[in-house]
Amino acid sequence: MLRNMSIRKRLMVILSLVYIVSMVGAIAGGYFILDRDSLREAKEKTELFTTVMSANQKYMSQNVRYEMMDLLPDTYFPEATVGIVMMSETASMIQEEYPEYIFKVASPNPLNKDNRSDSFENSIIAGFDNGDFEEWEGTVTKAGERFYATAVPVEARKSCIWCHDTPEVAHPDMVEEYGTESGYGYEVGDIVGGRFVYVSMTASDAITKQKLALFGGGISLLFLIAMLVIDRIIISTVVKPIEEIVEVAVDISRGKMNREFNVKGNDEIKQLADAFNRMKVSLAKAMDILRK
Ligand code: HEC
């Protein structure tokens, strides 16, 4: 197919193919690098967030919980004794400033219905339970939104049982608040849920798209300029001189022996024109001899 085209067309087709291949390669490579970067950024954010959450919980268990239980043994005040309550509350405060962070202690058997695990969380919790992994990280899409997520298992310990055993054993205030339906029946050693942190990738995905569009636009502009410049050069250094040579050759073939092959520059086409000129001289001589 290329063989039947003019030099100029052939070159433009080849350059367009190079453009398409470069564009696909550059966009795919660019996406890979940018996406890896935004995942790394999301990972760093998540690590900071989970460290703050764990520090919160640690502070409570080291400095508040036992003191509180000693001072007020019969009082039900989960804000100062239940790590999950404290973490959920502080997480929602953080979320007011940073809505892209979602913190959830999820369980298939929750006291608080809002903490009920969804199908993705159930699969991760089942993985913890089966010993498939000790912690989990990756991306997950929920309701069309992409998140970077991490999860660690929540295991029932002896200290958990008095609230999560049976409604009869639990504090009446707690039972009144959360009901008797679920959140009970814990046994020491059970994996009762998972602590999930989600960071929305929506903003960074939008930036990635924007960067790729700019990058692709830049490459396209460069190719366009290069194609225009190459086209001009091809016309002035190849197409035009060859057209002139053809015109002169046609004239000479019709007997106009006074025409000269004139090409500026010092390239292959100039050599061709010089060779034609020499051929014309030899031809003229041969015709002279024939005439005599
Ligand atoms: C003082 C009572 C109390 C103790 C002790 C306690 N929890 Fe809870 N737990 C709660 C309450 C209340 C909630 C609901 C918090 C909310 O409203 O989000 C809860 C929530 C949870 C949840 C989230 C799912 C749900 O049930 O809503 C998990 C998982 C959980 N607890 C596990 C544990 C583990 C593991 C321990 C021991 C390390 C523990 N709990 C100790 C009272 C307690």
Side-chain angles (χ1 to χ4, degrees):
M1 192 181 82
L2 281 175
R3 277 170 192 271
N4 294 331
M5 290 177 180
S6 67
I7 294 180
R8 196 179 156 203
K9 251 196 188 159
R10 195 186 303 163
L11 209 77
M12 287 305 124
V13 168
I14 292 171
L15 278 177
S16 304
L17 289 176
V18 172
Y19 164 72
I20 292 168
V21 171
S22 319
M23 197 65 177
V24 170
I27 296 289
Y31 178 77
F32 177 76
I33 293 171
L34 290 172
D35 193 52
R36 208 184 47 185
D37 273 359
S38 43
L39 280 175
R40 201 204 46 211
E41 206 182 300
K43 190 175 171 161
E44 280 169 13
K45 281 186 182 174
T46 319
E47 271 167 12
L48 183 66
F49 187 67
T50 42
T51 309
V52 172
M53 286 294 134
S54 301
N56 253 343
Q57 194 179 25
K58 210 167 167 186
Y59 178 85
M60 174 195 263
S61 70
Q62 285 178 356
N63 303 307
V64 183
R65 182 185 292 140
Y66 294 111
E67 199 78 11
M68 158 87 199
M69 285 155 93
D70 273 351
L71 291 172
L72 303 161
D74 297 323
T75 310
Y76 170 70
F77 186 50
E79 288 79 0
T81 53
V82 182
I84 288 161
V85 172
M86 185 190 197
M87 287 193 289
S88 308
E89 298 277 320
T90 39
S92 59
M93 286 174 188
I94 293 173
Q95 226 191 359
E96 282 171 22
E97 297 276 333
Y98 295 96
E100 72 266 32
Y101 289 94
I102 298 172
F103 176 84
K104 184 175 173 193
V105 181
S107 171
N109 170 28
L111 279 177
N112 182 342
K113 308 276 174 289
D114 293 342
N115 298 334
R116 186 177 296 284
S117 42
D118 60 24
S119 57
F120 159 70
E121 290 156 349
N122 278 336
S123 68
I124 301 294
I125 294 167
F128 289 142
D129 211 12
N130 298 336
D132 296 345
F133 35 75
E134 288 184 352
E135 40 190 76
W136 186 89
E137 61 168 303
T139 54
V140 54
T141 303
K142 287 188 175 198
E145 195 174 355
R146 195 162 82 111
F147 292 93
Y148 174 78
T150 60
V152 289
V154 176
E155 190 182 324
R157 292 194 297 268
K158 232 171 90 191
S159 61
C160 321
I161 303 300
W162 64 283
C163 288
H164 286 284
D165 185 5
T166 59
E168 291 70 41
V169 180
H171 198 285
D173 288 357
M174 194 193 95
V175 178
E176 196 185 311
E177 191 174 345
Y178 295 100
T180 55
E181 256 172 55
S182 73
Y184 305 98
Y186 280 22
E187 277 175 28
V188 177
D190 279 357
I191 301 294
V192 292
R195 205 175 82 176
F196 292 81
V197 173
Y198 299 93
V199 182
S200 167
M201 302 284 292
T202 306
S204 55
D205 283 352
I207 293 174
T208 299
K209 272 190 201 140
Q210 220 174 34
K211 282 183 181 167
L212 283 180
L214 263 174
F215 185 52
I219 293 182
S220 304
L221 193 71
L222 280 180
F223 257 94
L224 193 72
I225 294 172
M227 275 161 100
L228 284 177
V229 170
I230 291 173
D231 191 43
R232 290 289 106 193
I233 294 174
I234 290 294
I235 289 177
S236 65
T237 63
V238 180
V239 178
K240 276 263 169 63
I242 289 180
E243 278 171 2
E244 274 166 33
I245 290 177
V246 170
E247 197 188 304
V248 173
V250 169
D251 280 356
I252 291 175
S253 72
R254 289 182 181 141
K256 290 187 188 163
M257 295 303 275
N258 56 342
R259 301 274 338 238
E260 283 279 328
F261 294 98
N262 270 326
V263 171
K264 291 185 204 88
N266 201 14
D267 55 11
E268 291 86 343
I269 297 188
K270 165 80 172 154
Q271 287 168 16
L272 179 71
D274 291 349
F276 275 142
N277 278 331
R278 284 195 297 274
M279 195 176 77
K280 195 192 89 177
V281 173
S282 315
L283 193 70
K285 274 185 191 157
M287 285 189 358
D288 268 356
I289 295 169
L290 277 177
R291 258 185 227 127
K292 281 173 200 165

